[in-house]
């Protein structure tokens, strides 16, 4: 079986984030700066949705080891083509959002509210970041206190950036990723607490057992997770998703034989 330290090194996480905002505010330029560290003023058309990928290394909130993150960045085309059908697909599975305006164009700042609300309607409460881009142009069309107030209303941070100079670009993506990771563990802990509360009075509540198992997997308490998941299959061998989850845990524990056996039943 793999030792704890090799296990910790193998922990990785995928996260999808989306950029939204009015056309030409600099969404594509920001991603380009972050992913390739370049600013190409000739790069202008975003046709459909660009999907970019960047590998990040963050500090693991559970144990200070390195957490490998695959950040998948969705960067959508102009608003006109932003049809309802596409909108749902665009946000599906998103774990965080960067909402961008052009600091020099007031109308794009006024539209931030619309974007934050449209996103939240679909994704629910996920980490967001309000961005006023193009500060290098030096003509900010709103007062900072207005942006601060807006950020306060939605309980999310804000930042002035320049995709051209690179100012604060890396910081916003890393900050968002860190908040997404933290939320994942916080949500798992909250789910675990809730499930344990129910299990105190109904120890065989199968949904709570499964939720507890799932939370323990996220919290990387694999031995405890397996014990709970065994309990789920004892109560109902066909409980949805349980075999797939067991396979995942055995694989994390380095027991490929058991992982394969569970996969067959998934
Ligand atoms: P979008 O993806 O939001 O539609 P783009 O926006 O990234 O395509 O950028 C729109 C225009 O703004 C581009 O100019 C781009 O070069 C410029 N731009 C983006 N970010 C910045 C910035 O931080 N500073 C400055 N000065 N310009 C920026 P063109 O002329 O190619 O349309
Ligand atoms: Mg674009």
């Amino acid at each position: 079986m793999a030792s704890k330290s090799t296990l910790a090194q193998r922990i990785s996480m995928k996260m999808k984030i989306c950029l939204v905002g009015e056309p030409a505010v600099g969404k594509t330029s920001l991603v380009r700066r972050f992913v390739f560290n370049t600013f190409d003023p000739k790069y202008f058309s975003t046709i459909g949705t660009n999907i970019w990928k960047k590998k990040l290394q963050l500090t693991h909130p559970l144990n200070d080891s390195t957490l490998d993150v695959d950040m998948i960045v969705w960067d959508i085309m102009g608003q006109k083509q932003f049809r309802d059908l596409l909108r749902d697909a665009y946000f599906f599975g998103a774990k965080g959002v960067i909402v961008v305006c052009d600091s020099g164009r007031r109308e794009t700042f006024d539209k931030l509210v619309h974007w934050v609300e449209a996103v939240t309607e679909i994704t629910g409460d996920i980490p967001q970041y309000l961005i006023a881009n193009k500060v290098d142009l030096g003509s900010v069309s709103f007062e900072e206190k207005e942006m601060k107030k807006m950020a306060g209303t939605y309980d999310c941070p804000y930042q002035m950036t320049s995709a051209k100079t690179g100012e604060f670009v890396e910081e916003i993506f890393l900050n968002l990723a860190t908040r997404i990771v933290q939320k994942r563990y916080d949500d798992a802990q909250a789910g675990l607490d809730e499930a344990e509360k129910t299990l105190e009075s109904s120890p065989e509540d199968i949904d709570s057992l499964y939720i507890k198992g799932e939370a323990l997997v996220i919290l990387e308490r694999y031995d405890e997770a397996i014990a709970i998941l065994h309990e789920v299959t004892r109560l109902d061998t066909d409980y949805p998703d349980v075999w797939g989850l067991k396979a995942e845990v055995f694989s994390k524990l380095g027991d490929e034989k058991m992982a394969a056996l569970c996969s067959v039943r998934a």
Side-chain angles (χ1 to χ4, degrees), residues 25-34 37-41 100 131-136 160-170 172-173:
V25 294
K27 299 181 294 296
T28 303
S29 304
L30 286 166
V31 191
R32 229 182 134 72
R33 164 65 73 190
F34 177 60
N37 200 21
T38 63
F39 177 78
D40 180 356
V100 190
I131 300 302
N133 187 41
K134 307 196 193 183
V135 287
D136 58 281
M160 310 279 249
T161 62
S162 166
K164 186 170 184 176
T165 66
E167 193 179 340
F168 286 114
V169 176
E170 190 166 14
I172 58 166
F173 283 92

Side-chain angles (χ1 to χ4, degrees), residues 23-24 26-29 43-47 50 75-78:
K27 299 181 294 296
T28 303
S29 304
Y43 184 87
F44 53 92
S45 64
T46 316
I47 299 162
N50 286 321
D75 162 35
I76 205 163
M77 60 188 169

Side-chain angles (χ1 to χ4, degrees), residues 16-133:
K16 169 180 169 179
I17 70 155
C18 296
L19 278 99
V20 295
E22 296 299 289
V25 294
K27 299 181 294 296
T28 303
S29 304
L30 286 166
V31 191
R32 229 182 134 72
R33 164 65 73 190
F34 177 60
V35 175
F36 300 121
N37 200 21
T38 63
F39 177 78
D40 180 356
K42 286 189 287 300
Y43 184 87
F44 53 92
S45 64
T46 316
I47 299 162
T49 298
N50 286 321
I51 300 177
W52 318 66
K53 192 170 156 182
K54 172 121 172 160
K55 287 190 178 301
L56 313 177
Q57 294 200 318
L58 303 179
T59 304
H60 198 310
L62 293 177
N63 54 26
D64 284 347
S65 65
T66 300
L67 177 70
D68 290 315
V69 173
D70 279 333
M71 184 184 250
I72 318 291
V73 185
W74 287 47
D75 162 35
I76 205 163
M77 60 188 169
Q79 190 194 20
K80 278 191 216 74
Q81 296 89 337
F82 199 71
R83 301 196 198 292
D84 281 350
L85 197 65
L86 183 59
R87 200 177 69 162
D88 284 5
Y90 185 64
F91 292 123
F92 183 77
K95 297 286 185 276
V97 183
I98 295 179
V99 191
V100 190
C101 75
D102 175 342
S103 55
R105 283 191 292 143
R106 174 80 208 196
E107 70 279 15
T108 69
F109 173 79
D110 291 333
K111 277 281 171 79
L112 285 179
V113 171
H114 155 84
W115 284 108
V116 172
E117 289 181 357
V119 171
T120 309
E121 200 174 291
I122 296 168
T123 61
D125 180 23
I126 60 174
Q128 302 200 14
Y129 214 137
L130 298 183
I131 300 302
N133 187 41

